[in-house]
Amino acid sequence: MTRGISILLPVYNNVCSQLVKNLHEQAESILGLEYEIVIVDDGSTDEQCTKENATLADMENCRYVVLKENMGRARVRNYLASQARYPWMIFLDSDVLLPDMFLSKYLDRMDESVGVICGGTDIIEDVSLAKHNLRCKYESSALKKHSAKQRNIHPYHSFATANFAINKKVMEHCHFDERFVEYGYEDVLFGKALAEHSVPIEHIDNPVILHTFDNNDVYLKKVETAMRTLHTFRDDLCGYSPILAKAQNSVCVCLMRLWHTVFGRAERKNLIGTCPYLPFLNLYKFGYYLNLA
């Protein structure tokens, strides 16, 4: 088990003080652990968020860095890795909650036989959100796929940036592709890079908890941005996207283009409404993607 870790948090327009305090408490409770928590504000525009987060710089073993301009999801993670002092790094989204013993579970798995460890995600149970919030509905429906058992079936395809640990030596050879500036798929391509470099990857049940969700309009705009990202980098992502696989079927493509032309607006109206119908989401995503060509 390693005795030194760098915990790395990219932050953009959200307050992460509770998460950092929890990380600090868990780290301090582990005898002999050397650690640092590095928070990088990626050009946030919300002054209240930056003001509250700035107080974290006063916490022991914490560094708070403010970037004047937004680097984007890929580049900021490479920057965080360059700032890390310890041989193992834990990357976390900054808007999650932690379960008990979170750091200890990662530390128990850190050795030279594995290069990357993915902990997965869970969601907070909220009946009201599960009925009306599209992102919450989507995450709830995907929970079975989030178990370590399921993720280890296709370990490289299952890589996600919300919660993972990585040996610093790995990122000397595998970087996040900095062409990915807009939302979506930078994690998918990183998983592909790990496979190409034959980096040992292990998925474990050590999830962070998603508890805040964008409203339906904001989330669907992110989905649309992700589809544009997928279209731009379709050659790079070949073999790592079900949408790209389905797009190879000419009959399916013709039918879905027609479907989206006729029903796309109605699907979108439902998805941003107060009671979104989840099966429309995949139909809308595929149709939106096909109409980018």
Side-chain angles (χ1 to χ4, degrees):
M1 181 178 74
T2 185
R3 303 312 300 176
I5 56 171
S6 296
I7 304 167
L8 309 177
L9 308 177
V11 180
Y12 183 74
N13 283 346
N14 67 279
V15 176
C16 63
S17 54
Q18 186 56 50
L19 171 62
V20 172
K21 289 175 183 176
N22 196 342
L23 286 165
H24 190 271
E25 289 173 1
Q26 289 197 21
E28 286 292 314
S29 70
I30 300 172
L31 186 64
L33 178 66
E34 296 180 15
Y35 73 96
E36 63 176 350
I37 304 172
V38 184
I39 308 108
V40 170
D41 184 288
D42 193 15
S44 289
T45 56
D46 189 321
E47 293 183 2
Q48 184 61 33
C49 287
T50 56
K51 183 178 179 180
E52 291 191 45
N53 287 334
T55 62
L56 297 171
D58 298 328
M59 192 175 293
E60 186 180 8
N61 295 332
C62 287
R63 282 188 282 152
Y64 179 66
V65 180
V66 178
L67 304 177
K68 293 182 179 180
E69 296 182 357
N70 183 268
M71 284 187 171
R73 295 163 63 86
R75 188 180 169 200
V76 73
R77 286 180 170 84
N78 290 336
Y79 175 77
L80 276 160
S82 74
Q83 299 299 301
R85 296 171 178 167
Y86 293 107
W88 273 93
M89 304 177 290
I90 297 176
F91 282 85
L92 298 173
D93 282 356
S94 59
D95 57 351
V96 299
L97 300 176
L98 299 184
D100 295 336
M101 306 299 291
F102 174 79
L103 291 182
S104 294
K105 288 180 180 178
Y106 263 137
L107 287 165
D108 288 344
R109 298 298 184 99
M110 290 176 178
D111 59 54
E112 293 301 320
S113 66
V114 63
V116 176
I117 311 165
C118 296
T121 58
D122 199 352
I123 66 168
I124 195 167
E125 293 186 12
D126 189 315
V127 175
S128 177
L129 276 176
K131 184 176 181 180
H132 300 293
N133 185 274
L134 180 60
R135 172 74 188 281
C136 186
K137 273 192 171 185
Y138 171 76
E139 295 294 346
S140 296
S141 71
L143 280 180
K144 291 182 180 179
K145 299 178 183 178
H146 290 172
S147 71
K149 182 179 179 180
Q150 288 298 313
R151 287 182 280 124
N152 276 311
I153 294 173
H154 300 289
Y156 298 102
H157 290 70
S158 300
F159 176 83
T161 55
N163 172 25
F164 73 99
I166 185 168
N167 192 304
K168 194 172 184 180
K169 292 179 181 178
V170 172
M171 287 200 71
E172 294 174 0
H173 306 287
C174 297
H175 299 93
F176 285 93
D177 192 321
E178 296 186 1
R179 294 175 299 162
F180 285 66
V181 177
E182 299 295 330
Y183 182 85
Y185 287 94
E186 79 286 343
D187 51 353
V188 178
L189 193 59
F190 190 75
K192 184 178 180 181
L194 294 174
E196 290 172 346
H197 286 83
S198 300
V199 175
I201 181 171
E202 180 184 8
H203 291 267
I204 65 173
D205 283 319
N206 190 28
V208 292
I209 302 165
L210 309 179
H211 67 109
T212 60
F213 302 94
D214 292 322
N215 67 48
N216 294 349
D217 184 56
V218 170
Y219 178 60
L220 196 60
K221 285 177 180 176
K222 286 184 176 181
V223 168
E224 291 168 344
T225 300
M227 292 302 97
R228 294 194 296 271
T229 300
L230 177 61
H231 186 265
T232 300
F233 298 103
R234 57 193 180 278
D235 292 337
D236 301 270
L237 293 163
C238 184
Y240 276 71
S241 164
I243 288 177
L244 293 180
K246 287 189 290 186
Q248 300 303 309
N249 185 320
S250 58
V251 175
C252 182
V253 167
C254 290
L255 289 173
M256 281 306 305
R257 277 184 173 151
L258 177 60
W259 176 277
H260 191 76
T261 299
V262 177
F263 297 111
R265 288 185 179 179
E267 287 172 344
R268 194 181 197 285
K269 184 177 180 180
N270 171 268
L271 291 170
I272 65 174
T274 57
C275 194
Y277 182 57
L278 189 59
F280 282 163
L281 181 59
N282 282 336
L283 289 171
Y284 182 78
K285 285 168 66 174
F286 191 33
Y288 186 94
Y289 172 83
L290 292 176
N291 279 271
L292 292 171

